[in-house]
Amino acid sequence: MTDFMTAPLVQPTCPGEPRTKGVEFQLTCNLYRESLKTQVWLCFLILSFSTTSTCAVLRRDRTHLQDCVDWLKPSIEKSDAMLYAPSADDVEGKCKIMSLKCYMLELIMVIDEEELWENTKTGCILEFNDKLPPEDEYVGCPPCEAYTLRNITIFLDRLSNLLQEMNAAENV
């Protein structure tokens, strides 16, 4: 019995880690590894869900955005502003969202100049713009200022065409 009491304690360690203090079992190492895998997968899942949900929100809200623009159109058409308005031919596929961001920024400027903030439909323009990813995510896409300036009528037609094209592309 004394041999049992004087025998040195075995201190297993996880491979690649410094020797652990106290008695730890291999099970602890395996649980630690599994929890890290779980954490990594949870992070991956959350990030991919947030990216997917952002895209889903944009799809769903584009139709609502078109309704808001149509409703605001009589008030906006009074503007004599010249606005950056990329045409569908000017915009590469990977830059469609960036060009939509350009349209939103121009539209917000017109709403501000025409003092339409008390109009309840202007809120959907701001909400939609807030849901768009930041411009720095579209490296290689031309800035808004690279497109030609057009009057409000052409601007609204091109915005409508872009929204229709994006919705049609997703339905394919």
Side-chain angles (χ1 to χ4, degrees):
M1 183 118 186
T2 33
D3 290 331
F4 177 76
M5 300 287 274
T6 58
L9 295 173
V10 178
Q11 297 179 353
T13 60
C14 296
E17 292 183 5
R19 196 155 184 83
T20 57
K21 294 180 181 177
V23 177
E24 293 185 19
F25 300 99
Q26 191 65 30
L27 179 60
T28 305
C29 296
N30 290 338
L31 286 175
Y32 175 72
R33 283 191 200 118
E34 289 302 316
S35 71
L36 282 178
K37 287 180 188 176
T38 303
Q39 288 174 5
V40 169
W41 277 108
L42 283 173
C43 289
F44 176 75
L45 179 66
I46 289 168
L47 287 174
S48 54
F49 175 73
S50 66
T51 304
T52 304
S53 64
T54 300
C55 295
V57 167
L58 290 176
R59 278 184 230 127
R60 182 183 66 231
D61 286 346
R62 279 195 299 258
T63 304
H64 182 61
L65 174 65
Q66 184 65 57
D67 293 340
C68 290
V69 171
D70 290 343
W71 198 87
L72 286 169
K73 194 172 184 176
S75 301
I76 294 172
E77 284 181 323
K78 296 174 186 174
S79 174
D80 61 353
M82 297 296 284
L83 307 165
Y84 296 110
S87 71
D89 298 334
D90 294 341
V91 181
E92 294 179 37
K94 66 178 183 144
C95 296
K96 298 280 185 200
I97 298 292
M98 178 60 187
S99 64
L100 194 53
K101 181 93 173 162
C102 292
Y103 275 107
M104 292 300 97
L105 294 174
E106 294 291 275
L107 200 51
I108 290 169
M109 184 195 67
V110 170
I111 289 169
D112 192 42
E113 286 180 357
E114 295 298 317
E115 298 177 355
L116 298 174
W117 291 116
E118 51 285 338
N119 189 321
T120 57
K121 291 293 182 177
T122 57
C124 68
I125 306 296
L126 292 174
E127 288 171 18
F128 186 85
N129 186 53
D130 289 343
K131 291 177 184 176
L132 290 171
E135 295 169 8
D136 59 350
E137 288 188 23
Y138 297 98
V139 176
C141 294
C144 300
E145 296 78 16
Y147 299 109
T148 56
L149 290 168
R150 301 291 182 195
N151 66 30
I152 194 73
T153 306
I154 294 173
F155 173 86
L156 291 171
D157 287 342
R158 287 185 175 182
L159 172 57
S160 179
N161 290 339
L162 178 64
L163 291 170
Q164 289 172 4
E165 181 183 314
M166 291 174 82
N167 289 335
E170 287 176 6
N171 293 333
V172 174

